[in-house]
Amino acid sequence: MQPTIQRNNCAQLISELENIGWEKVVSVNADFQSFQIKFVDLKQRQHVMQIKLHSQHPRQAPTIIVDLPVKFDIVWTASSTLLDVFNQFVHNVDLYQDLWNNLNELDRKTWILEPDNPTFSATNRRIAISANASIQITVDPKHPSSLPDIKFLGSNQATNPLRENMTSNLHLWDENEGLLHNLSSLLEVTFPSPSNSKKEDFSADCGICYSYRLGMEIPEEVCNDSRCAQPFHQTCLIEWLRGLPSYRQSFQTIFGECPYCSTPITVKMSIRK
């Protein structure tokens, strides 16, 4: 690039950053080709957008990296500016305020077992209910007040009553209320809170490998005998059961005995793509 053209481009980019506001600029790399720009929403959550200019800028759109629950596709023309991109980013952040407000309430008032440090793009939460039961919810980011997808994790003895409550109470779901209120009413539970309990009470280690995390796995398979209720990683339990003389498998289900109390136990293997 010729020096005069390069100086003109830098001057144009500086002008565009000034239009956005220097207080919103987190970083600019040395060659003025990459930027980080922040936006603070009404709840004081900081959202950062990374911009990498195309070598044919401004004829070609820049590469954008953001932390949003839905893919962010910018509208770009040869006359577009960084301010145009920033405004599109702000518009998208505003779209998900209800989602984050609901999830933040869950994060503050319940024990979230997964993910450890939720990002803005994470629409799932695994919420502790008891030492033997939890739920995994996945929220629709565009309709955060609607009934989320709910998966019950734990022993049948602990989760069957929750399933029955959900079936009986579906009519109680009120989209004018928050997720926490609705989940409590739906399942007829009071979720353990960080104000009156410890996370360790709901994150027991695997009874085979004696650790909580195994790669991306946490102990989700639980012995159905309430006197035992020992949790296991699915991988650990499958390997253990396959080593037993009584090992039996039917399609994707493995049958055997609990390593601790010998109660019959089954594991439905995940089908990995």
Side-chain angles (χ1 to χ4, degrees), residues 41 45 47 67-72 89-103 120 123 140-144:
D41 67 22
R45 292 176 290 241
H47 306 266
D67 185 13
L68 293 173
V70 175
K71 184 180 179 184
F72 179 51
F89 176 54
V90 171
H91 172 73
N92 275 265
V93 168
D94 287 342
L95 291 177
Y96 304 113
Q97 292 300 298
D98 286 345
L99 169 71
W100 293 322
N101 291 342
N102 274 284
L103 292 176
F120 291 122
T123 59
D140 182 344
K142 295 184 178 179
H143 303 94

Side-chain angles (χ1 to χ4, degrees), residues 6-272:
Q6 187 176 31
R7 285 196 298 271
N8 290 340
N9 284 344
C10 286
Q12 176 62 32
L13 291 171
I14 290 172
S15 175
E16 292 181 20
L17 291 174
E18 287 177 344
N19 289 335
I20 293 173
W22 286 109
E23 73 282 1
K24 299 182 179 70
V25 179
V26 177
S27 66
V28 179
N29 75 337
D31 61 2
F32 252 70
Q33 296 301 297
S34 296
F35 314 89
Q36 287 189 332
I37 301 174
K38 69 179 180 180
F39 170 67
V40 179
D41 67 22
L42 293 175
K43 295 293 184 178
Q44 300 304 303
R45 292 176 290 241
Q46 182 170 297
H47 306 266
V48 176
M49 173 176 58
Q50 299 182 45
I51 304 174
K52 170 68 175 176
L53 298 184
H54 193 278
S55 60
Q56 298 299 315
H57 179 81
R59 291 190 297 275
Q60 298 294 326
T63 299
I64 306 295
I65 299 176
V66 295
D67 185 13
L68 293 173
V70 175
K71 184 180 179 184
F72 179 51
D73 292 317
I74 65 169
V75 177
W76 182 268
T77 67
S79 60
S80 294
T81 66
L82 297 182
L83 179 60
D84 295 325
V85 177
F86 178 74
N87 288 336
Q88 292 176 54
F89 176 54
V90 171
H91 172 73
N92 275 265
V93 168
D94 287 342
L95 291 177
Y96 304 113
Q97 292 300 298
D98 286 345
L99 169 71
W100 293 322
N101 291 342
N102 274 284
L103 292 176
N104 285 167
E105 183 182 24
L106 292 175
D107 295 341
R108 293 194 317 272
K109 297 181 179 180
T110 71
W111 280 120
I112 303 300
L113 303 180
E114 291 284 314
D116 284 333
N117 298 295
T119 61
F120 291 122
S121 59
T123 59
N124 62 298
R125 296 291 190 276
R126 183 185 176 191
I127 310 171
I129 295 178
S130 69
N132 300 326
S134 61
I135 56 171
Q136 175 87 26
I137 67 167
T138 303
V139 182
D140 182 344
K142 295 184 178 179
H143 303 94
S145 298
S146 61
L147 180 69
D149 178 70
I150 301 177
K151 178 183 178 183
F152 296 91
L153 303 171
S155 66
N156 291 335
Q157 187 169 11
T159 59
N160 282 345
L162 297 173
R163 291 188 179 91
E164 293 171 2
N165 289 345
M166 184 176 75
T167 300
S168 301
N169 296 328
L170 283 173
H171 66 284
L172 297 177
W173 193 272
D174 183 355
E175 295 194 359
N176 293 315
E177 296 285 353
L179 276 177
L180 179 56
H181 173 87
N182 275 321
L183 288 170
S184 297
S185 299
L186 184 71
L187 304 178
E188 297 182 23
V189 298
T190 299
F191 290 96
S193 166
S195 65
N196 56 28
S197 59
K198 297 183 295 183
K199 188 174 184 179
E200 290 76 17
D201 297 336
F202 313 102
S203 54
D205 291 342
C206 170
I208 295 174
C209 73
Y210 303 110
S211 64
Y212 180 66
R213 192 173 296 279
L214 180 67
M216 297 300 292
E217 279 189 69
I218 58 176
E220 294 182 347
E221 303 293 338
V222 181
C223 176
N224 285 321
D225 190 327
S226 60
R227 295 168 298 180
C228 176
Q230 176 64 49
F232 307 96
H233 294 118
Q234 184 187 75
T235 297
C236 294
L237 187 55
I238 289 174
E239 290 182 3
W240 175 279
L241 295 177
R242 281 177 170 165
L244 297 178
S246 58
Y247 163 78
R248 183 166 61 89
Q249 180 173 344
S250 175
F251 297 100
Q252 294 297 316
T253 301
I254 292 178
F255 301 84
E257 297 177 350
C258 173
Y260 276 63
C261 68
S262 299
T263 297
I265 192 169
T266 61
V267 187
K268 291 185 178 179
M269 296 187 296
S270 300
I271 300 175
R272 304 184 185 279

